[in-house]
Amino acid sequence: MGRLTNKLIAKLFTRFPSLAEKWVKNAAQSNIQGQVEDIPWAPFNKELKDCKIAIVTTAGVHLKTQKPFNMEDPNGDPTFREIPLDASKQDLMITHDYYDHKDADKDINIVFPIDRLKEMKDRNEIGSISGINFGFMGHIQGAHIDTLVNETAPQVAKKLKEMQVDAVLLTPG
Amino acid sequence: MRKFTEETKPSRAIFLKWPLGHPLGEPFKDKQHNAVLREAFNALKTIKEPGTIIDVPFRWKRDDDWRSVTIVTKKT
């Protein structure tokens, strides 16, 4: 399907959630069912006000200066983009044809709530925010699932651990 | 979209039956965003069983124009 078709379908899914539900049911069964065997678990024992928080979004957020996610590959793009904490909202954009991000283009916080986290930090509700947050494009199919699960997602997990992040807020598109 | 959350098996999750592309709500509705974040961070503390998904009962109330929406954050 071309990009225009994908965008039209994304608008239909947003307008008619029941269509999206049916598609998701089939897609989940064909693409990811059985891919994840064990549920990862890390106990949470700290106070939130002492925690370093990171955002990892699959909403296709990245810096305008970075290479956009590949929208020409029908199986998606399993790579990620590093988003520095000091990036301004004007520095950010969304590349993702598989959901209607018209509203997120107006206010990135509805998929990447960086301003809300900064406000929480100012209120001492969280300790700090990761210096780097991460953007993925959440339409991953076929062989790219293996790349995501075994290569790019572990790379991000390693970076989060190195930055001593205590908890990650995962947001979809 | 709950099916995706079930199959990807995150350690902890909250689920809101809101339209695609709006996990935190509507643009510039900071109180809505904060309400969702509160639920998410509460889940971080309260979920003890791996794979638990908490269904957050925030309603997405649509008017005649689907773009003109009101989100009711009061729990039902």
Side-chain angles (χ1 to χ4, degrees):
Chain A
M1 286 189 288
R3 290 193 64 182
L4 182 61
T5 308
N6 290 333
K7 288 180 181 178
L8 283 171
I9 290 172
K11 285 185 186 296
L12 278 171
F13 281 177
T14 306
R15 175 67 181 86
F16 301 105
S18 58
L19 285 177
E21 291 287 349
K22 286 179 186 172
W23 178 82
V24 161
K25 192 175 178 183
N26 292 332
Q29 283 174 346
S30 62
N31 287 321
I32 53 177
Q33 197 164 51
Q35 295 274 350
V36 183
E37 292 177 0
D38 299 317
I39 300 175
W41 182 255
F44 181 70
N45 298 320
K46 291 177 76 170
E47 292 293 325
L48 190 59
K49 64 180 176 58
D50 299 324
C51 287
K52 180 187 275 191
I53 306 295
I55 303 174
V56 175
T57 182
T58 57
V61 179
H62 61 88
L63 294 173
K64 288 175 181 172
T65 53
Q66 292 170 329
K67 184 181 176 184
F69 292 105
N70 182 5
M71 291 295 107
E72 304 300 331
D73 186 335
N75 284 329
D77 184 339
T79 62
F80 62 88
R81 305 290 180 270
E82 298 190 8
I83 305 168
L85 179 59
D86 60 2
S88 75
K89 282 183 289 184
Q90 288 72 35
D91 295 331
L92 302 175
M93 64 176 289
I94 294 171
T95 301
H96 197 318
D97 290 352
Y98 299 89
Y99 76 97
D100 184 358
H101 48 81
K102 190 176 172 183
D103 282 344
D105 291 336
K106 295 176 192 166
D107 181 7
I108 200 83
N109 284 289
I110 70 171
V111 294
F112 185 73
I114 192 67
D115 289 338
R116 298 296 87 79
L117 286 193
K118 288 177 179 174
E119 292 157 7
M120 288 183 73
K121 181 183 177 300
D122 290 343
R123 295 192 297 265
N124 296 316
E125 294 172 3
I126 59 173
S128 60
I129 304 167
S130 173
I132 301 287
N133 296 285
F134 296 89
F136 282 90
M137 194 283 287
H139 172 84
I140 311 293
Q141 297 187 151
H144 290 335
I145 294 176
D146 186 65
T147 306
L148 175 73
V149 171
N150 294 309
E151 294 180 31
T152 51
Q155 286 169 17
V156 168
K158 185 170 180 282
K159 287 172 183 283
L160 291 165
K161 196 170 180 181
E162 287 170 353
M163 292 187 291
Q164 298 183 306
V165 167
D166 295 297
V168 177
L169 182 69
L170 301 168
T171 59
Chain B
M1 297 301 159
R2 198 179 195 281
K3 184 75 176 170
F4 261 145
T5 309
E6 292 169 6
E7 295 297 341
T8 49
K9 299 177 183 173
S11 309
R12 309 163 175 87
I14 63 168
F15 177 76
L16 295 99
K17 207 170 181 180
W18 285 359
L20 275 176
H22 301 77
L24 275 292
E26 289 180 275
F28 310 112
K29 296 286 183 71
D30 299 5
K31 288 183 180 176
Q32 287 172 1
H33 308 167
N34 286 331
V36 175
L37 287 174
R38 269 197 299 276
E39 295 289 333
F41 286 122
N42 281 339
L44 180 62
K45 288 184 280 189
T46 59
I47 290 176
K48 303 296 181 191
E49 184 70 24
T52 299
I53 302 171
I54 295 177
D55 290 282
V56 178
F58 294 174
R59 287 182 294 140
W60 186 274
K61 185 181 175 185
R62 295 182 178 182
D63 296 333
D64 290 337
D65 176 358
W66 75 277
R67 274 289 180 194
S68 175
V69 294
T70 303
I71 295 176
V72 181
T73 53
K74 184 180 176 184
K75 290 186 178 182
T76 54

